[in-house]
Amino acid sequence: MILKKLHPTFIIFFSLFSLITLWEFVSRLGIYNANLFPSPIRVLEALFSMVYTGELFIDTYFSLLRIILGFLIGSLLGVTLGVLSGRIRLFELFFGHIINLLRPIPPIAIVPLAMLWFGIGESSKVFLIAFGVFFPVWISTHDGVRDVKKEYVWSAKSLGASDRQILTKIILPYTMPFIITGLRVGIGIAFVVLVASELAGAYAGVMYKVSISYLVFRADKMIAGLIWLGILGYSVDRLFVLSTKRLIRWYKES
Amino acid sequence: MTEKLRIRNLSVKYDKLLVVKNLDISIKDGEFISLVGSSGCGKSTIINATAGFIKPIKGNIFLDNIQINQPTQKIGIIFQNFELFPWKTVFENIAFGLRLHSTGEKEIKKRVMDYIKSMELNGFENYYPRQLSEGMKERVGLARTIINNPEVVLMDEPFGALDYLTKLKMQNFLTQLLGNKKITVLLVTHDIDEAIKLSNKIVVLSKRPARILDIIPIDKEKISTEDKIKIRERILHLLQNDG
Ligand SMILES: Nc1ncnc2c1ncn2[C@@H]1O[C@H](COP(=O)(O)OP(=O)(O)OP(=O)(O)O)[C@@H](O)[C@H]1O
Ligand SMILES: [Mg+2]
């Protein structure tokens, strides 16, 4: 019984433990240069030193700030335009094709242009992340709005709902699972774009730290930074899933 | 009795398909009228145009002699699939109309719970529609519409998807709900017995485009089993020999 209950957590810890052990083992074999392939202990030391000097906090602060700002702008635009294009035929005709023409361009591809326009400061990075987040959010919102059955709208109207109430009490709640799916995809894209934009030039940031550690051959710091980036991405995604769970409880299969 | 609802000279087209042509129906206050007709003849279309959901190419709808051009709270609707809001619980589905008009929370709770009791939905207040049986969904749908105090209720094959026993039970619920409320009803059904059982008048429609083949009054107080059989035969005959 107890063994059964422990099962999933146990496996997760065991898998992590095995990976780290294997890593430690391989690094101790001494086949690879310890500076290029540092042991987990050394990576952990590098991480602690980055915490100790405070640089990790500064880098994390800048990276997260870019993510949050870019994500907010991109998702607000995505939801707004998605509702408009999903509801208003004229709007879709007018903007739909332009948006679809821009969509296949990977946000990473416009990094140089964004740098040219906005410099290597914060605005270029926020712009790029917003650009990347916008498309999945717009598309899923649009599809969700399109999916609303006309009978829901009709029922609400005959119960006395105004146009505004149709939007806030029918369209948006129904579309919520779609929006949340789009937002979650957007979070993933935001991290990819963050990495690309920090590699292209920055003054601070987690990936920026990784890239300058490369210049001084500090593989331990590079790996520590990458692991930290992984932890950040994972935590943001988990946090998002947990905080949106309540909103889409109705949608989950029982 | 005064005229409550009037469908006047109604014609509806989908693109090039003429579905309703010059239809006239007059319903008196408190009357229960059933529309029967073959599948695809345009019954749902008539209901949706009457409720103001779709625009006719010709004709008007009058409620208390006032023309209506868009959906109104005075006309409630019940769809075949109930169309409960899947993101709302039983309680919130029923409370939907009340909440739109910012009735106090206490009042809402009291009124909704009254309906939940009379619809035998106790204990299911916090269930989502997907967790309910068809009959329960139907009762939530009825409650959601009736709690809003409509003067007219349009029903599009509300019991069509139910098994026989559930259907009988639901018909009783409906009769009980309408009770002394004096609500005017326009019911679409393909169940002739249901029409005879519930209505004061049966309107028999032709194949598409829907026109009136016959209007059969029913005296619910005095009608005998024999009369019922005769009416049944007559409607069947009309529908089978049409077109
Ligand atoms: N939204 C629509 N667009 C185009 N044609 C439609 C639409 N809705 C219905 N029709 C057509 O109009 C005709 C009448 O449809 P309607 O749903 O009113 O019939 P009905 O009498 O309710 O049928 P049933 O008894 O099967 O429900 C059908 O031929 C149908 O194909
Ligand atoms: Mg129909």
Side-chain angles (χ1 to χ4, degrees), chain B residues 1-242:
Chain B
M1 273 195 293
T2 52
E3 184 178 66
K4 185 72 190 172
L5 186 74
R6 173 80 191 273
I7 298 171
R8 201 186 71 187
N9 204 20
L10 186 79
S11 298
V12 186
K13 245 184 188 177
Y14 293 113
D15 295 320
K16 290 203 177 84
L17 187 73
L18 185 64
V19 178
V20 182
K21 193 181 173 188
N22 302 338
L23 186 80
D24 261 289
I25 297 176
S26 168
I27 308 176
K28 296 201 183 74
D29 205 5
E31 237 180 353
F32 193 125
I33 291 199
S34 292
L35 289 180
V36 298
S38 54
S39 181
C41 77
K43 302 181 296 295
S44 296
T45 306
I46 295 170
I47 291 283
N48 292 338
T50 307
F53 301 145
I54 54 179
K55 296 267 165 277
I57 54 161
K58 216 174 72 194
N60 325 86
I61 309 295
F62 294 91
L63 183 71
D64 295 322
N65 294 316
I66 298 166
Q67 191 179 332
I68 50 169
N69 300 308
Q70 57 199 31
T72 151
Q73 273 185 77
K74 292 182 180 169
I75 301 183
I77 180 99
I78 290 171
F79 294 107
Q80 174 166 0
N81 304 313
F82 330 126
E83 309 298 354
L84 301 182
F85 305 131
W87 61 93
K88 289 196 174 291
T89 59
V90 166
F91 186 98
E92 289 302 328
N93 262 284
I94 299 176
F96 189 86
L98 302 180
R99 288 211 191 285
L100 293 177
H101 310 104
S102 60
T103 321
E105 191 58 41
K106 236 177 151 181
E107 161 87 4
I108 290 175
K109 179 134 203 214
K110 192 185 155 292
R111 285 181 59 191
V112 172
M113 287 317 286
D114 280 350
Y115 272 88
I116 283 182
K117 273 192 207 94
S118 65
M119 292 283 103
E120 294 176 13
L121 289 164
N122 310 52
F124 292 96
E125 298 91 288
N126 296 319
Y127 277 53
Y128 285 101
R130 64 177 158 80
Q131 301 167 309
L132 304 177
S133 72
E134 294 305 296
M136 290 163 90
K137 286 184 201 169
E138 176 81 65
R139 278 174 273 156
V140 178
L142 279 178
R144 181 178 73 178
T145 301
I146 307 291
I147 199 173
N148 220 34
N149 290 325
E151 295 167 17
V152 176
V153 175
L154 310 174
M155 298 194 231
D156 191 358
E157 300 197 33
F159 311 131
L162 305 178
D163 64 88
Y164 183 69
L165 281 178
T166 315
K167 187 189 250 190
L168 288 184
K169 196 172 157 198
M170 284 311 306
Q171 289 167 352
N172 294 335
F173 268 114
L174 178 65
T175 316
Q176 175 198 326
L177 256 187
L178 297 176
N180 39 24
K181 275 187 187 280
K182 212 176 165 239
I183 297 177
T184 306
V185 179
L186 181 60
L187 169 84
V188 162
T189 178
H190 54 241
D191 182 338
I192 298 173
D193 294 322
E194 176 173 283
I196 296 171
K197 177 174 169 188
L198 296 174
S199 37
N200 313 110
K201 239 186 221 172
I202 300 177
V203 176
V204 186
L205 295 171
S206 70
K207 293 213 179 89
R208 194 185 67 225
R211 348 171 240 97
I212 295 175
L213 290 177
D214 201 357
I215 299 180
I216 302 165
I218 292 176
D219 191 339
K220 275 201 276 191
E221 313 286 304
K222 289 191 214 144
I223 191 165
S224 66
T225 314
E226 219 169 281
D227 293 337
K228 283 185 187 170
I229 293 169
K230 268 191 205 147
I231 292 173
R232 198 168 187 281
E233 294 298 313
R234 185 167 150 201
I235 295 173
L236 275 176
H237 182 81
L238 280 167
L239 291 176
Q240 281 164 353
N241 293 312
D242 163 45

Side-chain angles (χ1 to χ4, degrees), chain A residues 14-254:
Chain A
F14 186 73
S15 74
L16 273 176
F17 180 76
S18 319
L19 185 75
I20 294 171
T21 313
L22 185 72
W23 175 8
E24 178 73 32
F25 179 74
V26 173
S27 72
R28 276 187 190 212
L29 283 179
I31 315 170
Y32 303 105
N33 181 337
N35 284 326
L36 298 184
F37 191 77
S39 71
I41 312 263
R42 273 192 58 187
V43 170
L44 202 64
E45 275 169 6
L47 193 66
F48 278 145
S49 83
M50 283 154 80
V51 173
Y52 188 71
T53 59
E55 53 189 315
L56 190 73
F57 296 107
I58 295 172
D59 288 324
T60 305
Y61 170 77
F62 277 100
S63 290
L64 282 186
L65 195 68
R66 288 164 192 154
I67 295 261
I68 292 169
L69 282 178
F71 182 77
L72 279 181
I73 296 172
S75 52
L76 270 176
L77 280 174
V79 170
T80 312
L81 293 191
V83 169
L84 288 172
S85 67
R87 283 296 281 173
I88 305 169
R89 180 96 181 104
L90 186 70
F91 194 92
E92 197 202 356
L93 287 174
F94 201 83
F95 285 108
H97 293 285
I98 302 175
I99 296 176
N100 274 314
L101 217 66
L102 291 173
R103 189 160 69 96
I105 307 174
I108 298 177
I110 62 161
V111 168
L113 191 62
M115 295 296 211
L116 210 59
W117 283 349
F118 301 106
I120 71 166
E122 297 311 300
S123 39
S124 65
K125 293 168 184 61
V126 171
F127 167 81
L128 283 164
I129 293 170
F131 182 87
V133 169
F134 169 79
F135 293 99
V137 176
W138 168 67
I139 292 199
S140 49
T141 306
H142 176 95
D143 287 350
V145 169
R146 268 301 153 79
D147 203 51
V148 177
K149 286 170 88 173
K150 58 183 186 312
E151 284 84 0
Y152 296 153
V153 175
W154 288 351
S155 298
K157 277 190 180 167
S158 72
L159 289 168
S162 64
D163 284 348
R164 214 185 114 178
Q165 286 169 324
I166 297 283
L167 179 68
T168 58
K169 290 177 176 270
I170 303 290
I171 311 277
L172 285 181
Y174 181 84
T175 310
M176 202 45 84
F178 292 79
I179 296 178
I180 284 171
T181 306
L183 290 177
R184 193 166 173 207
V185 173
I187 288 176
I189 293 179
F191 272 89
V192 173
V193 178
L194 174 83
V195 164
S197 70
E198 287 188 0
L199 283 178
Y203 301 113
V206 176
M207 199 57 204
Y208 164 77
K209 190 50 47 74
V210 172
S211 75
I212 59 162
S213 302
Y214 165 78
L215 295 177
V216 292
F217 300 108
R218 287 291 302 273
D220 54 343
K221 275 182 100 172
M222 289 174 73
I223 296 177
L226 288 174
I227 289 177
W228 180 239
L229 195 67
I231 293 174
L232 278 183
Y234 179 80
S235 315
V236 170
D237 183 66
R238 279 287 95 194
L239 202 70
F240 179 80
V241 170
L242 283 179
S243 57
T244 51
K245 212 168 162 181
R246 217 181 56 84
L247 287 173
I248 50 173
R249 202 174 30 171
W250 63 272
Y251 192 71
K252 291 272 171 275
E253 288 307 314
S254 50

